Amino acid sequence: MEKKSTEQLQEVASQVRRDILRMVHQVQSGHPGASLGCTEFFTALYFDQMKHDNSFKMEGKNEDLFFLSNGHISPVWYSVLSRSGYFPVSELSTFRKLNSRLQGHPATEEHLPGVRIASGSLGQGLSVAIGAAQAKKIDGDDQLVYVLMGDGEQEEGQIWEAAMYAAHWKVDNLIATIDLNRQQIDGPTEKIMNLIDLRAKYESFGWTVIDTENGNDMKSVVEGLEKAKSLTGQGKPVLNLLHTEMGFGVDFMVGTHKWHGIAPNDEQLADALAQLPETLGDY
């Protein structure tokens, strides 16, 4: 896929946010908050950074792979997959409906192009990504494996087993990102289960860690991903701490856990869409 300028990426992101809001609104179900917060990341990854093939082959040989661990933010992923050619954009209108391939949490039995694992049971994606990265090493495939996790998800014990394993086996073709929005379903992470210093934790496990301080600024996100790539192949897995705001892009949704899993009503949708230019055409 031809790389886009920062301005073009921002235009894609605006449309993706519109898609997210319209999808969850039409079924009054879904998770808009972190989807909106991660829009720059997904846009930069699929439209600028990742080597991938939208004709989609499950084994993903000689291309970069992406795994979504916090599967509840499926709206942003589905939008970006469709907008980058994996399946028709019109299919976004089936989100969370009976017999749709676009279920609330991505699954493989629907055979949706772009989806390689079922996700949503939190804590599992890092383990899968590590296995895929090791398989690439065995196959002599020098492409990278990416995985996205939530910050509240760091409360899962399996993540820390995987983090220890990845460092021990020098899985240095892996870039993990944590969406550090400091919110989870029941409130701020510092009140539910304080994460304290994730950088220090992962570094003590043997990872290379970088911070993308403004995860809702497209230029910063692209630069962060570029930096992460430059640190691969050096004997350590790489972690990108992506500092975002839940609900970013919509003034009444930003910075609060209240929109973790709540859909906007008709009036709220109209208000939100008025803040986001339609750049690629609504589905």
Side-chain angles (χ1 to χ4, degrees), residues 64-253:
D64 295 334
L65 302 182
F66 172 76
F67 296 97
L68 176 64
S69 189
N70 49 333
H72 58 278
I73 68 168
S74 61
V76 62
W77 196 23
Y78 291 154
S79 172
V80 168
L81 284 174
S82 70
R83 296 288 175 179
S84 55
Y86 280 81
F87 56 87
V89 172
S90 60
E91 196 168 349
L92 296 178
S93 65
T94 70
F95 176 66
R96 277 184 174 248
K97 294 182 179 179
L98 290 176
N99 302 315
S100 170
R101 298 195 296 177
L102 279 63
Q103 290 302 307
H105 293 74
T108 52
E109 67 178 77
E110 279 80 21
H111 304 292
L112 185 69
V115 176
R116 290 187 167 89
I117 62 165
S119 61
S121 295
L122 296 177
Q124 298 178 358
L126 181 58
S127 299
V128 175
I130 292 167
Q134 287 190 301
K136 283 193 175 291
K137 284 178 173 284
I138 292 169
D139 290 342
D141 182 343
D142 61 1
Q143 298 307 129
L144 300 173
V145 176
Y146 295 84
V147 60
L148 177 65
M149 303 176 281
D151 53 359
E153 187 180 4
Q154 303 305 299
E155 297 162 20
E156 298 284 352
Q158 182 175 340
I159 283 180
W160 299 102
E161 295 178 58
M164 182 166 55
Y165 179 97
H168 176 79
W169 292 105
K170 297 178 171 55
V171 185
D172 59 0
N173 56 339
L174 171 70
I175 298 174
T177 296
I178 295 176
D179 174 23
L180 201 59
N181 61 29
R182 301 290 181 183
Q183 305 288 338
Q184 58 189 101
I185 189 169
D186 292 323
T189 54
E190 66 178 0
K191 293 184 178 179
I192 305 302
M193 183 67 73
N194 200 332
L195 302 170
I196 306 178
D197 190 342
L198 283 177
R199 170 183 277 274
K201 285 183 170 71
Y202 273 89
E203 286 180 339
S204 72
F205 273 63
W207 286 58
T208 296
V209 181
I210 67 168
D211 281 270
T212 301
E213 294 290 352
N214 189 347
N216 296 119
D217 175 76
M218 189 65 74
K219 186 173 183 290
S220 296
V221 173
V222 169
E223 290 173 350
L225 287 167
E226 289 279 11
K227 183 176 181 180
K229 284 199 292 188
S230 75
L231 295 168
T232 60
Q234 299 180 24
K236 292 183 177 183
V238 178
L239 176 68
N240 177 19
L241 292 173
L242 184 74
H243 298 255
T244 70
E245 291 282 350
M246 182 174 278
F248 189 86
V250 178
D251 57 11
F252 61 87
M253 290 185 172

Side-chain angles (χ1 to χ4, degrees), residues 36-50:
L36 293 168
C38 284
T39 296
E40 279 78 15
F41 171 79
F42 275 90
T43 302
L45 189 66
Y46 273 85
F47 287 90
D48 187 76
Q49 292 293 304
M50 197 165 67

